[in-house]
């Protein structure tokens, strides 16, 4: 029996859908939980709360995460655009 979707194209859309879902789930983490995670990371490095070194560490961890999320967002947008281009190309009948 023939499938309704060509496998390679369907697999690409499934992978993209999973990636978008995972990205969405990571954005559901509350800012309070992120701050707590940053503080845990800095405490694990042996820094004491209420010190400037600890506060600097927390700020740096927050900055690293924001940079990482921005890069991830750009990459997801690129993947979505590439996927759409591939889909449109496959629908145009061009070889």
């Amino acid at each position: 029996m023939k499938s309704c979707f060509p496998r390679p194209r369907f697999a690409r859309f499934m992978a993209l859908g999973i990636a978008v879902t995972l990205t969405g789930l990571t954005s559901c983490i509350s800012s309070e939980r992120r701050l707590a995670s940053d503080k845990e990371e800095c405490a694990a490095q042996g820094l004491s709360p209420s010190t400037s070194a600890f506060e600097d560490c927390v700020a740096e961890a927050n900055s690293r995460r924001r940079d990482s999320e921005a890069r991830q967002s750009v990459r997801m947008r690129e993947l979505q655009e590439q996927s759409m281009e591939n889909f449109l190309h496959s629908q145009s009948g061009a070889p």
Side-chain angles (χ1 to χ4, degrees):
M1 176 175 210
K2 185 173 178 165
S3 172
C4 295
F5 300 102
R7 288 206 186 273
R9 187 176 350 145
F10 182 70
R12 280 190 298 234
F13 287 120
M14 283 296 292
L16 181 62
I18 291 168
V20 169
T21 300
L22 291 175
T23 300
L25 289 175
T26 60
S27 66
C28 292
I29 299 171
S30 71
S31 59
E32 293 84 13
R33 181 63 197 128
R34 287 179 178 154
L35 178 59
S37 176
D38 292 344
K39 288 181 177 183
E40 289 171 13
E41 177 184 327
C42 294
Q45 293 177 25
L47 299 172
S48 298
S50 302
T51 64
S52 61
F54 184 85
E55 295 301 321
D56 290 345
C57 177
V58 171
E60 180 63 30
N62 185 23
S63 179
R64 279 193 312 270
R65 186 181 47 264
R66 280 194 319 252
D67 290 347
S68 176
E69 289 171 352
R71 284 190 305 274
Q72 184 179 20
S73 178
V74 168
R75 181 65 180 139
M76 286 304 302
R77 197 168 31 254
E78 290 170 349
L79 288 171
Q80 288 171 335
E81 290 170 1
Q82 181 182 13
S83 181
M84 183 55 77
E85 288 173 11
N86 290 342
F87 174 74
L88 293 174
H89 179 73
S90 70
Q91 297 300 306
S92 70

